[in-house]
Amino acid sequence: MATTACFIIVSRNDIPIYEAEVGVAAKREDAAQLHQFILHAALDIVQDLAWTTSAMYLKSVDRFNELVVSVYVTAGHTRLMLLHDSRNDDGIKSFFQDVHELYIKTLLNPLYLPGSRITSSHFDTKVRALARKYL
Amino acid sequence: MIGVGKVKQYGNVLDKPLNKGKQEVSLSAFAFLFSELVQYNQTQVDNIGELERRLEDAGYAVGARVLELLCHRDKGNRRETRLLGILSFVHSTVWKVLFGKVADSLEKGTEHEDEYMISEKELLVNKFISIPKDMGTFNCGAFVAGIVRGVLDGAGFPAVVTAHFVPMEGQQRPRTTILIKFAEEVLQREARLG
């Protein structure tokens, strides 16, 4: 289980549509902002990398001290980004795939505008449950 | 009511599985729904251009969702990064799922580098529609053009997509062509990726 992990879903237009801190360690106040800053800085790298491969899971694209950024890009160029300190590649891949399915189901809702924030508490609950299961 | 009591009830839409389900929808149900869509939009607009734009926007929303769903279901989570790849995805996979058959033809435009055409002898959405003379070049295929634009835009290939009637000799109904004109950045990226 990762001690720190920050999960963000970023839309095609580089706007975060969902964020969650899913680690178990005690939080410092500025940790959350630092995590978001690191993930934001990794977006450039992801953009270049996304066009070189047709796979969706991009493994780890960036490092910061001992934290690693792993990214999963969907067909619609929505990026699922995870900042973590563990090495559990398989668990992270399964986590991304399950969240991807949840995202598709959210997208199929005709009342959901693609690219807008995901506010459903059910979605939030399920993502955190998945994080506990796989990370 | 048809089918009630047979389907397992899920607490929330996020719990339902994403598998294929029934592959077919009633054609008449779709035709009625589409005709209502066109009629409703007709009351809301003043001119033909606006009506086409509204149909296109409706199709765009469908396209964005179809892209994600089909890449997940039919392509085992592989994204398309090349122009020909995404065009053949639209021409075969998307058409097969939406209309039950692959599109009749996919051609590259001869005059411009950035133009491609998908042709169909009879578009499903136009099957029960005839356009009155005073509506000029209006084509309800604008809905399908919107779907194609939604798929291309979502995949990162911005394009202008329009639907045109092309009269064919020997046939009573004209052929429909979806014209796709890619933006400059798409061609530049294609050239860069070699």
Side-chain angles (χ1 to χ4, degrees), chain A residues 28-127:
Chain A
R28 298 187 343 257
E29 288 80 44
D30 56 351
Q33 284 148 359
L34 180 66
H35 292 162
Q36 289 181 7
F37 182 75
I38 299 169
L39 286 170
H40 202 253
L43 280 179
D44 279 336
I45 306 176
V46 174
Q47 198 156 16
D48 290 332
L49 212 55
W51 287 107
T52 61
T53 169
S54 75
M56 285 192 175
Y57 179 47
L58 294 182
K59 300 218 174 71
S60 94
V61 305
D62 194 19
R63 296 182 50 87
F64 178 81
N65 296 344
E66 69 285 346
L67 296 173
V68 175
V69 179
S70 296
V71 176
Y72 181 98
V73 184
T74 69
H77 281 271
T78 303
R79 284 145 287 191
L80 313 183
M81 307 179 72
L82 184 69
L83 180 70
H84 58 92
D85 58 3
S86 65
R87 289 284 173 276
N88 185 3
D89 261 351
D90 282 335
I92 291 174
K93 183 168 183 179
S94 319
F95 172 70
F96 277 143
Q97 278 169 348
D98 283 353
V99 177
H100 184 207
E101 279 202 18
L102 280 181
Y103 174 69
I104 293 181
K105 290 176 202 173
T106 309
L107 194 66
L108 286 176
N109 180 1
L111 299 173
Y112 170 73
L113 180 68
S116 63
R117 293 196 67 89
I118 300 179
T119 51
S120 155
S121 60
H122 200 88
F123 184 84
D124 190 48
T125 318
K126 288 196 90 85
V127 168

Side-chain angles (χ1 to χ4, degrees), chain A residues 12 50-51 53-56 72-77 100-107 109 112 114 122-123 126, chain B residues 12-18 60 64-65 67-69 71-72 77-81 153-157 189 193:
Chain A
R12 271 181 48 219
W51 287 107
T53 169
S54 75
M56 285 192 175
Y72 181 98
V73 184
T74 69
H77 281 271
H100 184 207
E101 279 202 18
L102 280 181
Y103 174 69
I104 293 181
K105 290 176 202 173
T106 309
L107 194 66
N109 180 1
Y112 170 73
H122 200 88
F123 184 84
K126 288 196 90 85
Chain B
N12 186 294
V13 70
L14 289 177
D15 296 323
K16 282 176 79 167
L18 258 188
Y60 185 87
R65 290 164 168 89
L67 168 70
E68 285 270 2
L69 189 61
C71 276
H72 179 264
N77 287 334
R78 313 288 304 173
R79 289 178 295 114
E80 286 297 339
T81 47
D153 220 20
F157 297 85
R189 191 178 58 220
L193 288 176

